[in-house]
Amino acid sequence: EDGSKLWLRGKAVSAEVAAKRQIVIHSESIVVGLASKELEQYWAGSSVELIVDKKLKKLKDGYTISSSGRGLTICAGEEIGLLYGAYHLLRLQQEGKDLQRIAIEEIPDYDVRMLNHWDNLDGSIERGYAGQSLWKWEDLPRTISPRYAQYARANASIGINATVLNNVNASPQILHSDYLVKVKALADIFRKYGIRVYLSINFSSPKILDGLENSDPSNKEVQRWWKSKVKEIYTLIPDFGGFLVKANSEGQPGPQDYGRTHADGANMLADALKPYNGLVMWRAFVYSPTKEDRAKQAYLEFMPLDGQFRDNVIIQIKNGPVDFQPREPFTPLFGAMRQTAGMVEFQITQEYLGFSNHLVYLAPLFKETLDSDTYADGSGSTVAKITDGTLRPAYKTAIAGVANIGEDENWTGHHFAQANWYAFGRLAWNHALSSEQIAEEWLKQTFTDEQQFLKPMIHMMMTSREAAVNYMMPLGLHHIFAFDHHYGPEPWGDRQGGRPDWMPWYYHNANSAGLGFDRSATGSNAVSQYFPPLDRIYGDLETCPENLLLWFHQVPWSHKMKNGHTMWEELCYKYDEGVQQVRQFQKVWDGLESHVDSQRFAAVQSKLRIQAQDAIWWKDACLLYFQTFSKQPIPYDIERPIHELEDLKKIKLNMSYHN
Ligand code: BDP
């Protein structure tokens, strides 16, 4: 049992059961054929009829499932809806739901539900912790790995319908004709499962690939180059999705190299893609080492451009204003841009959450952002409603997650990291689902539906993200990771001459007075980027939510928290709580051995051991270091540090940038 089957573990039905029911279709299409094949193999219930009715436009690519005396009917407005409906039915069966009388209507919340792979053409993956890339570029297009179809099937089973194959730090080579035929080979497989392929592009491609004088978007030759490149792509891949662009960010080229704006660059690509209905996802992850608070920069750069983008451009915005930290407030651009479509980018891969070593269930993090009220149009203007088309008109709505998938047998490195891929897909389909519900359905399909297993494991998953926040960066601390690889703690980190906005001290501001980043009106005033009343709530030390306190304020060590502790004491208790939570996870898991196959049991057990060691490492490193400023004892009822600060400072992890 190596975990390679993911959550798709339905048992093939016997010939006897199959003979008792019929799966009826009225279509020659490959997708509908697939839907019927899945049901033929795994559906143990009554007969099912699959109907496409083009008039059912309001369903988008969703479906209805209803029961009558003769059996079940799945209806959809588009063929792919029948495949989604079939997977839904199989999921309900696997969960042991009562399917006698059902009336289900499922309409997806987002049009484009996409994974972003940060895969490089040499097979490495930026921030990938599950082995090398799934895409075997050298073997393509001739050799087709069976995992391509398995990947597509897994995605289709949770409604994911788009994939960006390559890293946002994009090699221009991906647009070379030699690569495009490889991309086509993948697109041909994914299409059967309703998945469209997108590519990350390098803005300097015209110059680098074909020796144009520059890649200036106002240069007619450059515009022509993109038009003809796009034509070449669509000739090979008629349903190609579009481009994802990281421009003028962390050293990547972009329109600003030529004095043009993000809008100029995005619009040039949008114009080339428009005749084919292609999209541009233009990323707002921009910041440079200026005096301005890094957390404010995306807003400052993009707000003046609101209304200048073509309708097939979507600004792709990370959930938080800095960078996928264990906890951040939502990025204030959500809601603020009124005339520009925006989408959320989450990180499924755990760059800042213990790689594939820590069990951290991310649905609560995703939900925290989606459910955040921006107050942009009064109360109730959640990030979800801003991005799903409810409050802002959009040509297409979208949501993206940076994939955690690699060529490891179990796809994601940690067996429980599969749940994060699963949860992203389920929430992209329906952001109203609860994290508990998603955890429960995933556990039932992936492990077992025994209550003795489910109850403690749902609890473990549900508390795991907060545990990670506690032992890494409680109370709104952020970005105090070791340089580059972002695995362990390095609050003391400093590089001579290095960029301040890459140094932990830039974020934690520890000194004898206190700890945290002053983003209130007396500090960087990042709070002013939020709509009232959030600007006031965040901006006032007394009303700021305590879990974001050190994000928005530099707080005196003696500041009284709501529970009566001082800030220093609370920091100590939070770190300790995180450690205790992981120790508890170990106990719970060990106690469940009889419910889990031995291979996956042992794998998770040993990962939990690493996680427990790391949690103690984090706690000791941060508390011993911050204690040099607070000059106060660690409360005596807390377990004592087991490391010397000086020893911890010497730890040099052997991890490259790409890992
Ligand atoms: C950061 C990663 C870096 C990515 C960058 C991005 O550390 O590897 O290239 O984000 O999103 O989180 O572009």
Side-chain angles (χ1 to χ4, degrees), residues 119 129 157 211 305 330 364 424 591 600 612:
D119 294 20
Y129 316 106
S157 77
L305 303 175
F330 69 89
F424 170 76
R600 286 189 295 172

Side-chain angles (χ1 to χ4, degrees), residues 13 86 88 147 252 263 358 577 579 633:
V13 299
H88 192 75
R147 295 195 85 181
Q252 293 300 318
H358 295 198
E577 188 184 343
V579 171

Side-chain angles (χ1 to χ4, degrees), residues 83-129:
L83 185 62
Y84 295 145
Y87 284 125
H88 192 75
L89 203 52
L90 294 173
R91 177 164 49 235
L92 296 175
Q93 169 175 272
Q94 188 78 356
E95 282 182 70
K97 291 272 159 72
D98 176 11
L99 299 170
Q100 283 308 310
R101 241 168 301 155
I102 48 175
I104 292 172
E105 182 182 83
E106 288 273 335
I107 306 173
D109 283 330
Y110 294 96
D111 301 324
V112 183
R113 306 173 291 273
M114 98 180 333
L115 290 181
N116 288 184
H117 289 267
W118 285 359
D119 294 20
N120 298 310
L121 301 185
D122 66 2
S124 61
I125 305 181
E126 183 150 335
R127 314 304 182 183
Y129 316 106

Side-chain angles (χ1 to χ4, degrees), residues 2-3 6 129-131 350 353-361 404-406 408-421 442 446-447 457 460-461 464 487 585 589 600-611:
D2 56 13
L6 296 164
Y129 316 106
Q350 292 167 233
L353 285 151
F355 294 8
S356 57
N357 284 336
H358 295 198
L359 189 163
V360 183
Y361 174 53
N404 59 352
I405 301 162
D408 276 6
E409 284 294 321
N410 74 6
W411 301 86
T412 54
H414 196 306
H415 289 289
F416 276 78
Q418 296 177 356
N420 294 332
W421 175 9
W442 178 79
T446 309
F447 287 98
M457 286 313 296
M460 187 191 297
M461 288 173 74
S464 61
Y487 187 73
F585 296 168
W589 184 254
R600 286 189 295 172
F601 176 78
V604 172
Q605 184 182 53
S606 84
K607 295 266 185 187
L608 282 170
R609 287 178 183 157
I610 300 174
Q611 188 172 358

Side-chain angles (χ1 to χ4, degrees), residues 352-594:
Y352 293 101
L353 285 151
F355 294 8
S356 57
N357 284 336
H358 295 198
L359 189 163
V360 183
Y361 174 53
L362 293 175
L365 187 161
F366 300 157
K367 292 278 291 182
E368 191 169 291
T369 300
L370 292 167
D371 294 345
S372 288
D373 198 341
T374 68
Y375 292 92
D377 298 359
S379 90
S381 318
T382 59
V383 171
K385 285 193 190 161
I386 293 288
T387 53
D388 73 0
T390 310
L391 294 177
R392 295 282 178 281
Y395 171 71
K396 284 269 164 64
T397 60
I399 187 165
V402 178
N404 59 352
I405 301 162
E407 67 172 357
D408 276 6
E409 284 294 321
N410 74 6
W411 301 86
T412 54
H414 196 306
H415 289 289
F416 276 78
Q418 296 177 356
N420 294 332
W421 175 9
Y422 182 89
F424 170 76
R426 296 289 287 135
L427 285 172
W429 182 276
N430 179 359
H431 55 57
L433 290 173
S434 72
S435 302
E436 288 95 329
Q437 181 180 338
I438 298 172
E440 179 171 350
E441 54 178 67
W442 178 79
L443 283 165
K444 282 182 173 172
Q445 295 169 86
T446 309
F447 287 98
T448 164
D449 60 5
E450 293 160 293
Q451 278 305 322
Q452 303 95 304
F453 176 82
L454 287 177
K455 223 174 144 239
M457 286 313 296
I458 292 172
H459 184 259
M460 187 191 297
M461 288 173 74
M462 287 302 296
T463 50
S464 61
R465 185 277 185 127
E466 206 58 40
V469 169
N470 288 338
Y471 63 71
M472 286 184 179
M473 277 165 262
L475 304 182
L477 280 174
H478 51 290
H479 226 309
I480 56 176
F481 292 93
F483 194 70
D484 259 6
H485 56 66
H486 301 157
Y487 187 73
E490 206 177 73
W492 51 83
D494 197 12
R495 309 272 147 154
Q496 282 291 310
R499 277 175 68 157
D501 53 349
W502 285 348
M503 300 307 156
W505 49 260
Y506 176 95
Y507 300 97
H508 65 59
N509 296 288
N511 57 28
S512 59
L515 180 68
F517 200 130
D518 185 2
R519 295 190 164 107
S520 73
T522 56
S524 80
N525 206 18
V527 293
S528 67
Q529 295 182 337
Y530 291 91
F531 286 93
L534 279 186
D535 53 351
R536 288 196 304 277
I537 294 174
Y538 287 154
D540 182 343
L541 186 57
E542 296 309 319
T543 52
C544 181
E546 290 193 339
N547 63 9
L548 289 172
L549 205 59
L550 305 178
W551 182 283
F552 286 115
H553 298 274
Q554 216 229 10
V555 181
W557 297 107
S558 58
H559 171 79
K560 274 268 177 302
M561 306 292 290
K562 294 204 180 77
N563 62 7
H565 291 150
T566 64
M567 184 273 281
W568 163 250
E569 288 164 348
E570 186 66 359
L571 194 71
C572 295
Y573 284 116
K574 283 285 175 199
Y575 272 106
D576 191 58
E577 188 184 343
V579 171
Q580 300 312 325
Q581 283 173 297
V582 181
R583 302 310 308 249
Q584 186 61 25
F585 296 168
Q586 289 186 283
K587 290 181 199 156
V588 169
W589 184 254
D590 283 359
L592 292 171
E593 183 164 8
S594 62

